[in-house]
Amino acid sequence: IFICPLLPTKHADLNRKVLLFNSLIFDDLVESFAQVSIIHGINRLCDRNGKLSGDLSEVESDPLHYVHINQIGRRVLCSCIKSSLFQRKRAGGKQFSSRSYAGVAKSAPDRPSRRGGRKSN
């Protein structure tokens, strides 16, 4: 079973919820079920602030389009899916680390750290 993490958004508050949900996938679901694999490379859709890149979003200038990816974004997403599927197949079905999106999650502003405090950027 392959699971694609929620994609990043252009809206900071919504993005925090996405990162929280994705951390639940990484921390609970994948650790509990060996047959579950994560689609890796979703961070390729992010800009340097961890938000959906304007170059990959459907309507860059429209603030209401928080989550829509354009044709280039869809190509990047398909590339991530394809790479993850083939990587799993080449490894004979062995589980890989689910932390490829961790860099994005760690760069999110105001994300609580695992040690109890708030992370500052």
Side-chain angles (χ1 to χ4, degrees):
I1 297 173
F2 284 87
I3 296 178
C4 185
L6 291 180
L7 302 181
T9 72
K10 293 190 287 183
H11 190 273
D13 290 334
L14 187 56
N15 222 27
R16 280 191 276 280
K17 293 176 184 178
V18 166
L19 293 171
L20 175 63
F21 182 83
N22 286 344
S23 71
L24 294 173
I25 290 174
F26 296 138
D27 294 340
D28 297 332
L29 187 63
V30 174
E31 308 251 338
S32 300
F33 301 98
Q35 71 273 20
V36 173
S37 294
I38 298 292
I39 302 298
H40 297 285
I42 299 304
N43 55 335
R44 292 173 47 200
L45 294 165
C46 297
D47 64 12
R48 61 188 168 97
N49 297 316
K51 295 180 182 177
L52 178 62
S53 173
D55 296 338
L56 304 176
S57 62
E58 188 63 48
V59 182
E60 185 175 350
S61 61
D62 188 347
L64 297 177
H65 287 274
Y66 301 134
V67 296
H68 298 107
I69 56 176
N70 62 18
Q71 184 175 0
I72 298 168
R74 288 188 291 274
R75 285 182 187 155
V76 171
L77 177 60
C78 288
S79 172
C80 294
I81 293 169
K82 180 178 159 184
S83 295
S84 294
L85 292 171
F86 285 123
Q87 185 179 30
R88 175 80 183 232
K89 184 171 177 73
R90 282 192 304 267
K94 295 178 184 169
Q95 180 65 39
F96 292 98
S97 168
S98 60
R99 295 295 174 190
S100 66
Y101 194 53
V104 174
K106 287 179 183 174
S107 68
D110 297 322
R111 177 167 161 65
S113 73
R114 294 193 184 267
R115 295 189 180 137
R118 284 278 198 212
K119 221 175 192 179
S120 60
N121 289 337

